[in-house]
Amino acid sequence: MESTMARHTCLKLEIPEPIFIKGTWFPFHFNLSITDGLNSWFCNATEEEVRGRAAQWDQPVSTYIELAEKHLGFQIPGSVYKFTDAGEGNKRLSWTFEKEGTKLEWRWKCQPSPDTKKTTTLILDFLMDANIRLSEEVVRKTQSFERLKGEAEKCLAQSEKFNSQKMEFEAAVYAKFLGVLNSKKRKLRELRDQLSKKEISGESAQEEEDSDKTESFDRGSDDEKSVEKPREKLAGTSKDPPPRRGYVRKKITHK
């Protein structure tokens, strides 16, 4: 169960004499295997040791494990790494880091491996397996990239085709619309001309009708004048008494 929870790292530490550090990380402890190609060392940090170190730095065990894995899984720029003699064939692995503006140093004592060849072989096997996995991952990523690249090129070609078809469709629709619009304009002009002609003909007819009414009115007034003149004459003759009657009366009076 514990092995399934383990995480593995391998770091080539670039120091004056480069070394390889393989780390196996568990929730509450970790193991280190170190080799320089000729000799090898190991460090098995127990749960009690890790708990004690974490308590010294006022840290939870999980945080301590996380920081150790971070600095021994990758060589952190700015961190100072050392792998020095600690007597009796032992080595001391140390690294520095900053916390709240203060540079701190962690140290762990590493003992000589009882089987240098085995330890070195385990590290090399891990590196080979990791290299194979990385190579396979690179191949998969490359294939996936090429596949995505091909699909992207197809999509780009389809997009250009669709764009061309869209432009052709818009041009055709615009041409049809322009034809319809021009036809509507012609019809409107024809209707406007017809309406203008009707208005002009209506005005002419109205003018002719008005002129006819004016002529009839003038003729009627002339007739009325001609009728009124005889009436005036008749009225004038009725006022003068007949002279012959008066003459007759005189003769009657003489008898």
Side-chain angles (χ1 to χ4, degrees):
M1 182 65 179
E2 190 179 41
S3 60
T4 59
M5 300 174 62
R7 301 180 302 277
H8 302 278
T9 61
C10 192
L11 167 66
K12 181 182 179 181
L13 189 59
E14 298 290 349
I15 54 177
E17 294 182 0
I19 57 174
F20 289 88
I21 304 174
K22 179 182 177 296
T24 303
W25 309 92
F26 300 95
F28 303 105
H29 66 97
F30 62 89
N31 300 327
L32 299 177
S33 299
I34 304 171
T35 183
D36 60 2
L38 295 176
N39 302 300
S40 60
W41 299 264
F42 72 95
C43 174
N44 294 332
T46 62
E47 292 185 11
E48 292 181 358
E49 290 176 331
V50 172
R51 191 179 299 110
R53 295 290 184 93
Q56 290 179 3
W57 298 102
D58 296 328
Q59 291 178 334
V61 172
S62 59
T63 302
Y64 187 92
I65 295 289
E66 181 181 352
L67 286 174
E69 181 181 356
K70 176 182 177 181
H71 285 80
L72 297 181
F74 300 93
Q75 188 165 352
I76 305 299
S79 182
V80 180
Y81 293 85
K82 295 180 181 179
F83 191 62
T84 57
D85 291 331
E88 299 181 357
N90 298 319
K91 292 283 188 177
R92 181 175 288 106
L93 176 65
S94 64
W95 64 93
T96 62
F97 65 96
E98 288 190 3
K99 181 180 179 181
E100 298 178 356
T102 303
K103 181 170 285 191
L104 306 175
E105 185 179 46
W106 284 358
R107 302 173 184 173
W108 282 91
K109 185 177 180 181
C110 303
Q111 301 175 355
S113 174
D115 191 341
T116 298
K117 184 178 180 179
K118 182 179 179 180
T119 301
T120 303
T121 301
L122 288 174
I123 294 174
L124 292 176
D125 287 343
F126 177 82
L127 290 174
M128 289 296 294
D129 292 340
N131 184 61
I132 292 172
R133 289 194 300 271
L134 289 174
S135 298
E136 292 175 350
E137 183 69 18
V138 169
V139 171
R140 287 195 299 270
K141 295 292 185 182
T142 302
Q143 292 175 349
S144 177
F145 173 76
E146 293 296 333
R147 184 171 58 256
L148 291 175
K149 182 180 178 182
E151 292 177 357
E153 290 177 351
K154 290 181 180 179
C155 291
L156 181 60
Q158 290 180 354
S159 176
E160 292 177 352
K161 180 180 178 181
F162 291 155
N163 188 35
S164 177
Q165 292 177 350
K166 176 177 174 290
M167 293 178 66
E168 292 177 358
F169 174 76
E170 289 177 350
V173 170
Y174 178 75
K176 291 181 180 179
F177 173 76
L178 188 61
V180 173
L181 183 62
N182 291 332
S183 177
K184 295 294 183 182
K185 285 183 178 179
R186 284 194 300 271
K187 289 183 179 180
L188 287 174
R189 282 196 296 267
E190 292 174 358
L191 291 174
R192 184 182 61 189
D193 294 340
Q194 292 176 4
L195 183 61
S196 299
K197 290 178 180 179
K198 287 183 179 180
E199 289 178 353
I200 293 171
S201 61
E203 290 177 357
S204 300
Q206 184 68 30
E207 289 178 357
E208 290 177 359
E209 184 179 354
D210 292 342
S211 63
D212 293 340
K213 289 181 179 180
T214 304
E215 290 178 358
S216 63
F217 176 77
D218 292 340
R219 290 173 183 174
S221 60
D222 292 341
D223 294 338
E224 289 177 357
K225 289 179 181 179
S226 62
V227 170
E228 287 177 356
K229 286 180 180 180
R231 285 180 181 177
E232 289 177 358
K233 290 179 180 180
L234 291 173
T237 55
S238 62
K239 289 180 181 180
D240 296 334
R244 292 180 180 180
R245 284 184 180 180
Y247 180 75
V248 171
R249 286 177 184 177
K250 288 180 181 180
K251 287 180 178 182
I252 293 172
T253 54
H254 281 288
K255 289 180 177 182

